Amino acid sequence: LAQRRISVDVTLIAYDAKFAQPDKSRYRANPYLQPFPELRDDWTTCDDATEDWTADDYRRWQAAWPNMLAWVRRMHDAGVLLVTGTDLTNEWIAPGDGLHQEFELLFSAGLTANQILRMTGANAAEALHRNDVGVIEPGRRADLVLLAADPRVAIGNTRAIVWVMQGGVLVANGAPH
């Protein structure tokens, strides 16, 4: 993977949301799901991947989770082209906020904020074979997000959105509600 520069989007959130105990899931109680009642209704009525799990099954998953985080760190350290994503089609992943939650999970895997932001920008551009996006430089598209707080201080600061610019045009003021 590293030698061939094959990109990997690990989507930790897809696993964390799917295998979290329903009564302990931060995803089901996420206020960012409120604007998407259709998704919430679908996920509430569809079959749950863990509906027949026992307490032992959940304990085994919790025991396996650190191995998953270590695998992500090993791939990064080996030079694999990691990118960020959320796999929104999985249940309980809120559009928009899911990416911020993915950042937090990647941080818990031992990646730094700079590494996570690079995965989201420059690495994503490389994976898409695009040379007009991914970094801030003359000649690139001006797709920017201005934050009120430094995500290198706390990765959750990626939620402190002041404005969003796409192709040099301001398309949103403030964080989405």
Side-chain angles (χ1 to χ4, degrees), residues 2 13 16 30 38 51 63 89-90 111 119 127 137 143 151 175:
I13 190 172
D16 196 38
N30 188 343
E38 303 86 9
E51 68 185 345
T89 57
N90 280 288
L111 300 181
M119 290 167 59
E137 292 180 341
D143 292 344

Side-chain angles (χ1 to χ4, degrees), residues 46-112:
C46 75
D47 290 336
D48 188 339
T50 61
E51 68 185 345
D52 61 346
W53 277 26
T54 65
D56 283 339
D57 293 324
Y58 284 111
R59 276 194 288 280
R60 280 196 301 280
W61 169 248
Q62 290 169 347
W65 183 247
N67 295 329
M68 180 80 125
L69 298 178
W71 169 70
V72 170
R73 182 66 197 184
R74 281 194 309 274
M75 282 196 299
H76 176 272
D77 292 347
V80 173
L81 181 64
L82 297 179
V83 298
T84 57
T86 61
D87 206 0
L88 179 61
T89 57
N90 280 288
E91 60 245 353
W92 306 112
I93 298 174
D97 190 56
L99 187 60
H100 300 289
Q101 291 174 318
E102 179 72 6
F103 292 166
E104 292 165 353
L105 293 169
L106 290 164
F107 190 80
S108 72
L111 300 181
T112 67

